[in-house]
Amino acid sequence: PALLNQIKGASLVLCTGPLEADWLPTLLTRAGNPQVKPGSPGYMAAAEFVRMMAVPTAVDPTAKEHAHSSGHPHIQTDPRNIRAVAVQLGRRLARLDQANAPYYAERTQAFLARLDEAIKRGQVQAAPLKGIKVVAQHDNLNYLWAWLGVEQVGTVEAVPGQAPPPAHLTRVV
């Protein structure tokens, strides 16, 4: 209910995109705010501005595996994706609040400068990890691995949120 009330008065709804596909459309409909409906300037799905990874070509409804029908939604684990979204967010805010457009442009540029420095530091610090192979607990760091040049060779969870069966763990080992 609190989120519904916030959306009713919002000028902008910013979401990842794929993560909210199950519940956000209903909430937006119930809020009845035409300013933030999909397709309007007041609705922004961050995933639209990055290259999605692991987009399935077909979804098997009988599969027991965890599947994101639009691809892996954890885009925030690669800071270059954060950069791409920040640029678009700055533009969107300037469009929605034209009187303050110069402020949004300035703040976006300041953020990007800090982020670019952090990305450079991260790349230098993570350089020794390039080429290593990892087994992840959950299959959610694909963007991070791609950024760092790390290869995920397995996943402990056969089905997300469930203890892995011994046979699966044996295969992973």
Side-chain angles (χ1 to χ4, degrees):
L3 190 53
L4 182 63
N5 286 332
Q6 290 175 346
I7 290 175
K8 284 180 181 180
S11 298
L12 174 67
V13 167
L14 171 63
C15 63
T16 301
L19 283 174
E20 303 86 3
D22 292 339
W23 59 269
L24 186 56
T26 301
L27 190 60
L28 291 172
T29 299
R30 289 186 59 207
N33 180 348
Q35 288 183 302
V36 297
K37 69 179 184 176
S40 72
Y43 177 84
M44 184 175 160
E48 293 177 11
F49 305 103
V50 301
R51 184 184 61 81
M52 295 297 292
M53 295 179 73
V55 178
T57 54
V59 177
D60 179 0
T62 63
K64 293 182 180 179
E65 295 147 10
H66 184 54
H68 295 292
S69 61
S70 300
H72 280 291
H74 308 284
I75 63 173
Q76 72 280 5
T77 62
D78 181 340
R80 298 169 300 182
N81 289 341
I82 299 298
R83 187 182 204 295
V85 173
V87 167
Q88 296 302 321
L89 178 58
R91 290 177 183 162
R92 186 67 57 96
L93 290 169
R95 179 177 174 192
L96 291 170
D97 183 15
Q98 293 178 5
N100 291 305
Y103 174 77
Y104 297 121
E106 176 215 327
R107 298 309 307 146
T108 299
Q109 289 308 310
F111 174 77
L112 293 176
R114 290 190 315 275
L115 180 61
D116 288 343
E117 285 302 314
I119 289 171
K120 286 178 192 173
R121 280 191 314 275
Q123 287 172 319
V124 168
Q125 292 172 344
L129 301 175
K130 190 171 184 147
I132 69 166
K133 297 177 187 320
V134 299
V135 173
Q137 171 68 27
H138 180 75
D139 193 21
N140 64 341
L141 297 174
N142 307 71
Y143 297 93
L144 177 67
W145 303 144
W147 175 51
L148 298 178
V150 172
E151 182 183 355
Q152 181 176 324
V153 295
T155 307
V156 172
E157 290 181 328
V159 177
Q162 295 181 14
H168 175 73
L169 289 177
T170 300
R171 282 191 301 276
V172 169
V173 171

